[in-house]
Amino acid sequence: MSAVARARGRGGAAEEAEELRTACLDAVRGLADADLVVVVGTGDRAGVWTEGGAGSFRRYGVPKAVKLPLGGVDSPELSPALTVGAWLLEEAGVRVPTHAVAVRPDTETGRLLGLGRGLAELADRVGLLVMGDGSARRSVKAPGYLDERAEGYDRAVAAALAAADAPALAALDADLSAELLADGRAPWQVLAGAADGAALGGELRYEDAPYGVGYLVACWR
């Protein structure tokens, strides 16, 4: 099983954004040998896409639409996080049957872990593309303004991702994550459930907060 954890990027030609984009695409290419890829991210509503799915960036003023690879009929529109995941798969040239799962940011940990265990059993080689932001309170210019706890929170998540430490992700506090505007907590705990009992190694490929939001790119194999 492969897994990629990544924060949603933002548009622009900044050097930081390009470095993040490159790290994301390099990580996503590692999913090309999976039998099934499942994109996991947050959404206003929980949902599952198994026969296709499409999204667009029109809400951001960009006339770009994307679809999940090798899907069937179109389903309801993908959430923003899943739309970015579909775009990454397209940009990376990964053409593998793909499902998508949206989870609400406030979903209880036990349900997320159980969902992850179920996803890991869908095929012999399941690749997870896990979309989630770190804290959006890393600086005074961040969406949620500065919280002194944010950097330590993101460092702990980065250490867990680097070590493929599923129990550490499973132990993330939902209330603290919400206070720090870290919506990656829910997708990361799906990852923790999927990796439960698997002997995986981790590699952290990117860690920074160029926009006052914690961005992380990691691979588990």
Side-chain angles (χ1 to χ4, degrees):
M1 178 179 68
S2 302
V4 179
R6 171 209 176 257
R8 275 177 279 155
R10 299 183 179 184
E15 180 179 347
E16 297 93 340
E18 183 58 29
E19 183 182 355
L20 173 60
R21 176 179 177 274
T22 298
C24 290
L25 291 175
D26 287 345
V28 170
R29 291 187 183 102
L31 298 170
D33 62 353
D35 296 323
L36 173 70
V37 169
V38 182
V39 186
V40 181
T42 55
D44 293 336
R45 299 179 180 178
V48 178
W49 289 257
T50 61
E51 295 184 344
S56 79
F57 296 92
R58 285 189 292 272
R59 73 187 72 199
Y60 307 113
V62 179
K64 171 68 174 177
V66 294
K67 292 185 177 182
L68 295 175
L70 305 181
V73 298
D74 287 342
S75 301
E77 185 174 5
L78 298 169
S79 71
L82 300 180
T83 297
V84 175
W87 174 79
L88 283 172
L89 291 168
E90 178 183 284
E91 289 290 298
V94 177
R95 299 289 295 169
V96 175
T98 303
H99 295 173
V101 176
V103 293
R104 287 177 51 88
D106 58 356
T107 305
E108 187 268 329
T109 295
R111 294 183 61 186
L112 296 167
L113 297 175
L115 172 61
R117 295 185 191 102
L119 294 178
E121 296 176 353
L122 290 178
D124 288 340
R125 295 179 300 174
V126 177
L128 298 186
L129 175 53
V130 181
M131 312 295 296
D133 293 343
S135 176
R137 306 192 66 177
R138 290 284 298 272
S139 74
V140 296
K141 295 184 178 180
Y145 197 70
L146 176 66
D147 189 307
E148 298 292 346
R149 302 170 295 174
E151 184 174 356
Y153 176 95
D154 284 349
R155 284 183 176 176
V157 172
L161 292 173
D165 189 343
L169 295 182
L172 290 173
D173 183 84
D175 291 336
L176 176 60
S177 300
E179 290 173 12
L180 295 178
L181 304 182
D183 78 351
R185 191 276 306 183
W188 294 329
Q189 290 187 332
V190 175
L191 169 62
D196 184 26
L200 301 177
E203 178 185 3
L204 186 67
R205 298 191 176 188
Y206 182 93
E207 178 192 4
D208 205 349
Y211 304 105
V213 180
Y215 293 106
L216 304 159
V217 182
C219 295
W220 290 14
R221 294 185 71 88

